[in-house]
Amino acid sequence: MVHNRLYFLLLAFLPLILIIFYFIARNNLKRQGRVINMRLYYEALNGLSNHLPGKVSKYHKLFFNEPSFSGNFLGHVFTVTFWKSELVAPFPSKLILTCYSVSASKLKIFIYKKDPGTVLFAKEIYTGDKDIDRFFIYSNRPDEARGYFSDMSRRTAIKQIVNNGWEPPMITGNKITVESFEPKPELDPEFIQETLKMMITLQS
């Protein structure tokens, strides 16, 4: 009985304990001069609202201190997130842009930059386009993926996305995601809109 009470007390106070550890860790980072002012990242996202309908996520701000914006572009829901690898990470390590569609497609396509040290146990897909085939391409539906890449507008969109500084897009069912590393606390709304247009072109 006593053990049960202790267990329930621990569960009740666990959130408070985690919050305390979180602030202790952040204070340690501040003393080491490793905490970046997240306000700049939130301001960058707030600037998007002047060009695109949407708002900064209060949930991500409250629980993760992770600046995230949800909006709508040409009828498509999208999110822009300054992602942190850890809750107490001193600054975001990625900018993640995700565009959603109402597609019921189950097609998944994963595109990676080729790394000589990487071993992937899956059949690689080739498109016949040398600028696309310089990446590793895998899919849960290889035959369907080959048909997907037969559309030149999609291949052009992928190449333009990568040329603009993003990692190759990931296509998973009803969403497409692109990422860039070590983002600065600034966003160009026109650049985001241009990327979203290309991502909409990629939807199956």
Side-chain angles (χ1 to χ4, degrees):
M1 193 70 170
V2 174
H3 287 90
N4 287 340
R5 288 179 180 175
L6 289 173
Y7 175 74
F8 286 115
L9 279 173
L10 180 61
L11 284 181
F13 285 101
L14 184 59
L16 178 61
I17 294 170
L18 291 175
I19 290 172
I20 291 172
F21 276 114
Y22 168 76
F23 282 105
I24 290 174
R26 283 194 62 80
N27 286 335
N28 285 337
L29 289 173
K30 284 182 180 179
R31 283 196 293 270
Q32 296 170 25
R34 293 173 55 200
V35 172
I36 303 296
N37 189 348
M38 296 299 290
R39 178 179 58 82
L40 299 176
Y41 293 92
Y42 284 106
E43 288 179 354
L45 290 178
N46 283 326
L48 285 180
S49 62
N50 296 325
H51 303 267
L52 293 163
K55 60 182 179 180
V56 173
S57 168
K58 292 181 180 179
Y59 174 81
H60 281 80
K61 184 174 184 179
L62 178 62
F63 291 99
F64 305 106
N65 194 24
E66 190 173 72
S68 183
F69 180 94
S70 297
N72 191 292
F73 179 73
L74 299 179
H76 295 264
V77 174
F78 73 92
T79 59
V80 184
T81 303
F82 285 103
W83 182 82
K84 296 195 298 181
S85 58
E86 299 175 8
L87 183 62
V88 294
F91 53 83
S93 57
K94 290 183 185 178
L95 176 66
I96 302 176
L97 177 59
T98 303
C99 184
Y100 299 86
S101 74
V102 294
S103 172
S105 173
K106 302 298 182 182
L107 177 65
K108 297 181 180 180
I109 299 175
F110 305 96
I111 308 173
Y112 301 94
K113 289 182 176 178
K114 289 192 175 181
D115 182 350
T118 301
V119 178
L120 299 174
F121 298 96
K123 187 176 181 180
E124 189 174 357
I125 293 170
Y126 294 96
T127 68
D129 186 323
K130 64 179 182 179
D131 292 323
I132 301 292
D133 289 339
R134 63 192 177 99
F135 302 114
F136 282 121
I137 305 173
Y138 299 91
S139 175
N140 63 328
R141 298 182 176 184
D143 291 337
E144 188 177 341
R146 291 186 188 94
Y148 176 93
F149 284 109
S150 67
D151 186 329
M152 184 170 35
S153 64
R154 288 171 175 160
R155 299 199 308 272
T156 300
I158 290 173
K159 288 183 276 190
Q160 191 170 351
I161 286 172
V162 174
N163 289 338
N164 285 350
W166 298 97
E167 293 296 302
M170 297 295 169
I171 300 145
T172 53
N174 69 336
K175 72 176 182 180
I176 296 173
T177 303
V178 295
E179 303 176 348
S180 65
F181 293 97
E182 298 182 359
K184 296 180 180 179
E186 54 190 43
L187 289 173
D188 180 350
E190 291 185 3
F191 178 68
I192 296 297
Q193 291 179 71
E194 179 186 355
T195 305
L196 285 170
K197 286 179 182 177
M198 291 182 283
M199 294 171 78
I200 292 171
T201 299
L202 293 177
Q203 292 178 347
S204 56

